[in-house]
Amino acid sequence: MRISLSGWASNGLRCPDVEIKLAGKSGEPAKVALVQMPNGTGKTTTLELIRATLTGQASTWPPTRIRDYRRPGDNRDKGEFRVALLLDRRPLTIELILDFENGTASYRTTTPGSGGVVGRWQPPPSVLKFLTPDFLHLFIFDGEFADKLLKQDAGRADEAISALCQLDLLDIVAQTTESQWKKRTSQGGGKTAAALTKLNGLRDALLRRRSDLEKARDVAQRKIDAGSVAAADLTKKIADRLGSVEATRVQHAEAILALQGANNAVSKASGEVMDLLRMPLAVHKSFSESLVELRDNLDHLKLPENTSAQFFADLVQEPDCICGRPMSDVARDEILKRAKGYLDMEESGTINALKHDITMFVAAPGDEPAYVLLERVLKELTSARRQQREADQTLRALAKKLIDEGDELLKEWQDTLGTLETELARCKQVLQEINAPSGEDTDEPIMSMKLVEKKLDEVGKDIAKLSETVDLRSKTDIIEAILKQAARLARDEIRAELVQESNKRLSVILANDPLRIDRIDKSLHLANQSGASVGQKLSVGYTFLMSALNRGNNDFPLIVDSPANSIDEGVRRNIGKLIPELCTQFVGFTINTERAGFVQALEKVCEDCLFLTVFRRTEGTKRLERTLPPVGVTKTDNAVLVNNRDYFMSFDLTDEKDI
Amino acid sequence: MPLDPALEAALHSSVNAAGQPKTVAQRLVAWLKSLSDGEGSEDQNARFYENVLEAVKVKDTTDED
């Protein structure tokens, strides 16, 4: 971006009421403009107001500071200062209005073509980063800043490099990277690799548990399969034994018969109980009573109109009514008239279906209600189970009898069967636990395969989410490390190049002085000396800043307060020669004692020079008004502005009588 | 607007030293150029960030375990 200063205007302030236009021969801001303002004309005030106007900082000033800018003896309530810039040749005007009565500052920004006039400090976003107090120090340059460039704790040299060589852009990228990371992980949860390791450990444990449970299930199933066959074989052997021994044969046959009958009865009753338990009507009589009450309270005798109206229309066309009687005109009229009373909205179809279903499922008066049926079947099941146990006990008693009588083989079979049945029950219990629904998570080892699967699924999702977070952190760290390293490398390289370039210029400016820059870190370090004169500091500051400005890709005006003060004439000449080469626009606030050497050197290398002289109109300066040139003079109530090279060169406030 | 040559070179060098593909440097340079042109809205920055993030490769450490 190229920023040029077109001019400024002051009205009602401590500095003279004057409008400075920096237009050169081409109409664009002159490459070099020297504004000669004798001491006491408001040079420092003008520079302060240029800074305050461009940065918008005056809105934070206290009332006392604002009133400090009021011209003594002036009754006006307000003072205004206006700065005109060109941003890539597009005008931007910022006005600062100081209200002395209220002690407030306000702004007005004019951006033709994009936004017009707004009643606040609002420069375009693209220029905002350049209109900060720190940045303005770089192009509104004074001896104080030159001094700070050499002070170790001020860090101004590094700030200048960051701003002018765009290293501060790396900070913006780093800040965006970190803020995006925070934004994406603001939902909470683990964010670290340690948390991910923990989750992976949990997942491994669950996978091992699943594997163990699969093995346990296989073992249990194999045992059940094999044990069931062995148990059936033993049961058969025991039964054959009991059936073959004379003493138990008859009782055994009866008990077997009773057991078979009881088994059948238990099976039948169980099936019926299960069927009935699926019906709420059978579980409790309240269900059927409530349903009947609901049915009886629903609309009576209504048909959905959209599907049933046609029925009546067709019926009256029939020769006979649905009741069997011939269809007469009287019946036809009556049916059509009364049909409306039986037709209703579409919902009546659903209501009719509901009523029909309730009637179907609820027992008709006199029939056995479902809940009574369930009570009866449960009693039958209880009875069948009792018979089953009795038959089983009889069989066991018969076996015990034979064992007691010394049947060792039967005893062995019986013991083996007992052990086998215990093991089978245990295996079935294991299988039941493994195949159980997921259930509740407890501190006990997980037995349910479904619960293991569910937890695996959850931890898998957590790992996926955390992996993404950890991945994002790793990438963020990589980007930040790259930016940090790039900033270090770029800074080192730029510092080295700036030392070289600055020393090259210093060798021209200070041709008779061995002063050189040794290195740059936070500040500038001089070679072979710790201190420097004011002139030396100014020269070093110029060369450094000019080199940095020249290096950057943005063009700024270099506005300097007393550019040649405290510098001897030879050095002034050398600086003057270099200035036009190093910046696109140079504005210097001078006093007459700075002209020697400096102005001539500037004119030699730059054709587009503007020479302005400003002085206050007082009793003491009346004599100066008598010698004004015929053209290029602007007078206000309290100041005179002269745009004339010769007047500039000969201007001297000192009265001849004073010499 | 071009970046300072030293800054652009430093970015390429740092990306290379970090073992990252050239695309990362190219995308960072594009982002910085956009910022240099004054185009630094929150949305634009988020898009540039997304592009850079996509190009960054994270070393897979699971194979080493």
Side-chain angles (χ1 to χ4, degrees):
Chain A
M1 169 171 282
R2 178 173 180 174
I3 301 177
S4 309
L5 180 64
S6 306
W8 63 90
S10 174
N11 187 36
L13 294 162
R14 215 168 55 197
C15 51
D17 290 348
V18 71
E19 181 171 9
I20 305 287
K21 291 178 181 172
L22 299 176
K25 289 172 186 167
S26 65
E28 290 195 4
K31 192 167 177 63
V32 171
L34 295 177
V35 185
Q36 184 170 233
M37 295 172 81
N39 289 332
T41 316
K43 201 155 35 100
T44 307
T45 305
T46 303
L47 279 166
E48 281 173 5
L49 287 166
I50 289 176
R51 281 200 185 96
T53 306
L54 290 177
T55 58
Q57 291 275 298
S59 49
T60 62
W61 285 354
T64 48
R65 184 167 179 190
I66 289 168
R67 291 187 185 113
D68 205 31
Y69 283 94
R70 189 175 205 170
R71 182 181 304 139
D74 197 319
N75 294 326
R76 281 176 285 184
D77 295 343
K78 290 179 181 171
E80 293 163 6
F81 195 84
R82 187 175 75 241
V83 179
L85 298 177
L86 287 175
L87 310 178
D88 290 331
R89 296 169 189 265
R90 290 191 303 275
L92 165 70
T93 306
I94 306 175
E95 289 169 81
L96 167 63
I97 302 117
L98 299 180
D99 185 329
F100 303 126
E101 293 301 313
N102 295 317
T104 55
S106 59
Y107 284 91
R108 192 158 48 221
T109 309
T110 309
T111 325
S114 56
V117 183
V118 290
R120 57 189 172 277
W121 185 85
Q122 192 181 298
S126 58
V127 78
L128 283 178
K129 64 178 178 176
F130 303 125
L131 299 183
T132 63
D134 284 344
F135 203 91
L136 283 188
H137 273 302
L138 301 177
F139 63 86
I140 302 180
F141 183 81
D142 55 25
E144 194 187 340
F145 184 74
D147 199 33
K148 283 182 180 171
L149 282 171
L150 288 153
K151 272 192 180 168
Q152 181 61 25
D153 56 346
R156 293 292 188 187
D158 229 20
E159 286 172 13
I161 290 173
S162 292
L164 294 171
C165 303
Q166 302 157 303
L167 298 189
D168 52 356
L169 300 180
L170 292 170
D171 294 336
I172 298 173
V173 171
Q175 282 159 13
T176 306
T177 304
E178 194 57 31
S179 67
Q180 285 288 329
W181 149 259
K182 282 180 185 157
K183 192 175 168 185
R184 289 173 185 217
T185 54
S186 60
Q187 301 303 314
K191 295 182 180 66
T192 62
L196 184 60
T197 306
K198 195 175 169 188
L199 276 180
N200 276 320
L202 179 60
R203 184 170 179 273
D204 289 345
L206 285 167
L207 285 171
R208 282 196 299 275
R209 186 67 188 159
R210 185 171 72 178
S211 174
D212 290 347
L213 288 177
E214 278 169 353
K215 283 175 193 164
R217 185 165 61 186
D218 288 347
V219 169
Q221 190 60 55
R222 278 200 302 274
K223 281 186 178 175
I224 289 169
D225 292 345
S228 298
V229 172
D233 189 39
L234 281 170
T235 305
K236 186 174 181 305
K237 281 181 180 175
I238 292 167
D240 288 349
R241 185 75 167 181
L242 291 173
S244 63
V245 175
E246 187 65 31
T248 57
R249 190 186 329 162
V250 177
Q251 284 176 290
H252 177 258
E254 287 172 356
I256 288 291
L257 204 61
L259 184 60
Q260 283 173 350
N263 284 346
N264 289 339
V266 166
S267 177
K268 178 172 174 288
S270 299
E272 287 176 350
V273 166
M274 285 307 294
D275 287 344
L276 285 166
L277 281 176
R278 292 190 185 100
M279 293 174 62
L281 285 172
V283 176
H284 199 276
K285 65 178 180 180
S286 300
F287 281 106
S288 68
E289 286 171 358
S290 298
L291 280 171
V292 168
E293 192 183 348
L294 172 68
R295 181 195 63 188
D296 294 345
N297 282 298
L298 288 171
D299 282 349
H300 189 60
L301 267 181
K302 294 282 184 184
L303 295 165
E305 187 173 7
N306 60 344
T307 55
S308 307
Q310 190 58 38
F311 167 77
F312 293 106
D314 292 345
L315 178 63
V316 296
Q317 301 302 321
E318 295 293 319
D320 296 319
C321 180
I322 49 173
C323 62
R325 283 174 288 191
M327 185 66 75
S328 64
D329 290 341
V330 177
R332 222 172 258 123
D333 291 344
E334 202 61 28
I335 286 170
L336 290 175
K337 193 166 69 183
R338 294 193 179 196
K340 289 174 185 168
Y342 292 88
L343 296 173
D344 205 345
M345 304 299 284
E346 177 61 20
E347 289 77 8
S348 62
T350 307
I351 293 170
N352 285 344
L354 189 60
K355 285 160 72 177
H356 176 262
D357 287 349
I358 293 173
T359 306
M360 283 282 291
F361 284 102
V362 176
D367 289 353
E368 187 179 33
Y371 65 91
V372 175
L373 185 60
L374 177 62
E375 283 174 7
R376 184 168 57 76
V377 176
L378 279 171
K379 280 179 189 167
E380 287 173 7
L381 178 61
T382 308
S383 170
R385 278 287 294 142
R386 192 170 56 246
Q387 288 168 14
Q388 200 180 33
R389 278 197 302 276
E390 284 170 0
D392 196 49
Q393 281 167 0
T394 303
L395 287 172
R396 288 179 187 278
L398 289 174
K400 189 170 182 302
K401 185 181 174 186
L402 289 183
I403 290 167
D404 288 347
E405 286 171 0
D407 193 334
E408 288 301 319
L409 189 59
L410 184 61
K411 183 176 183 302
E412 188 187 325
W413 289 345
Q414 197 73 24
D415 289 348
T416 309
L417 182 60
T419 309
L420 204 54
E421 282 176 340
T422 305
E423 180 62 11
L424 279 173
R426 193 191 64 78
C427 289
K428 282 177 183 170
Q429 178 64 29
V430 168
L431 267 189
Q432 197 178 353
E433 286 176 5
I434 292 173
N435 294 331
S438 60
E440 300 256 330
D441 194 6
T442 64
D443 291 338
E444 300 292 319
I446 302 172
M447 283 301 294
S448 164
M449 186 66 96
K450 283 188 179 167
L451 183 56
V452 172
E453 296 287 1
K454 184 182 163 194
K455 288 178 83 69
L456 266 172
D457 185 50
E458 286 171 358
V459 81
K461 283 177 183 164
D462 287 346
I463 286 171
K465 197 174 163 190
L466 188 52
S467 297
E468 203 176 310
T469 305
V470 170
D471 188 61
L472 183 63
R473 185 64 254 176
S474 301
K475 288 186 172 184
T476 303
D477 288 344
I478 289 168
I479 295 171
E480 287 177 352
I482 288 170
L483 295 173
K484 209 171 171 181
Q485 173 75 349
R488 196 181 60 75
L489 290 177
R491 199 179 294 279
D492 286 350
E493 180 64 23
I494 291 167
R495 282 171 176 168
E497 288 177 13
L498 283 177
V499 167
Q500 206 176 359
E501 287 166 23
S502 300
N503 281 337
K504 199 173 158 191
R505 290 191 172 107
L506 272 176
S507 67
V508 176
I509 291 172
L510 303 176
N512 302 320
D513 186 341
L515 183 78
R516 298 291 179 269
I517 298 171
D518 178 50
R519 66 183 196 282
I520 302 171
D521 45 33
K522 293 284 180 194
S523 60
L524 306 178
H525 292 261
L526 300 176
N528 306 318
Q529 63 186 83
S530 54
S533 68
V534 176
Q536 283 178 318
K537 282 179 187 173
L538 206 54
S539 303
V540 169
Y542 265 135
T543 51
F544 167 74
L545 206 56
M546 286 170 181
S547 302
L549 279 170
N550 202 38
R551 181 187 181 90
N553 288 308
N554 296 300
D555 285 332
F556 307 102
L558 184 59
I559 304 164
V560 184
D561 185 7
S562 301
N565 202 16
S566 312
I567 301 175
D568 66 50
E569 205 171 320
V571 176
R572 279 181 200 171
R573 268 195 294 273
N574 293 335
I575 289 178
K577 272 189 279 182
L578 281 178
I579 282 173
E581 287 177 29
L582 299 171
C583 58
T584 52
Q585 185 188 9
F586 178 82
V587 180
F589 286 77
T590 65
I591 54 175
N592 59 346
T593 55
E594 292 178 83
R595 290 188 307 239
F598 189 60
V599 174
Q600 293 87 343
L602 277 173
E603 281 182 308
K604 265 188 186 173
V605 289
C606 178
E607 291 180 354
D608 194 11
C609 291
L610 194 65
F611 297 95
L612 303 173
T613 305
V614 180
F615 62 90
R616 288 187 192 277
R617 295 182 76 183
T618 62
E619 282 299 318
T621 60
K622 272 186 179 171
R623 63 180 175 82
L624 296 171
E625 291 188 45
R626 289 194 289 272
T627 58
L628 288 172
V631 290
V633 177
T634 308
K635 289 184 184 178
T636 65
D637 289 345
N638 50 48
V640 176
L641 166 66
V642 183
N643 181 357
N644 184 287
R645 192 260 179 203
D646 294 336
Y647 188 81
F648 180 96
M649 292 304 287
S650 61
F651 180 80
D652 187 356
L653 205 59
T654 315
D655 195 330
E656 284 174 9
K657 285 184 284 181
D658 299 337
I659 300 171
Chain B
M1 187 172 288
L3 288 180
D4 190 292
L7 175 56
E8 194 163 339
L11 273 169
H12 281 281
S13 174
S14 306
V15 166
N16 187 42
Q20 292 297 318
K22 281 182 185 172
T23 328
V24 176
Q26 287 162 349
R27 291 181 183 187
L28 279 170
V29 168
W31 189 354
L32 290 171
K33 279 182 181 171
S34 162
L35 287 170
S36 173
D37 289 338
E39 296 166 359
S41 75
E42 201 175 323
D43 282 352
Q44 279 174 318
N45 280 342
R47 276 198 295 276
F48 277 113
Y49 165 76
E50 216 33 83
N51 285 340
V52 173
L53 201 67
E54 189 187 271
V56 171
K57 304 291 175 208
V58 178
K59 195 178 172 189
D60 187 1
T61 53
T62 54
D63 294 342
E64 294 171 3
D65 294 341

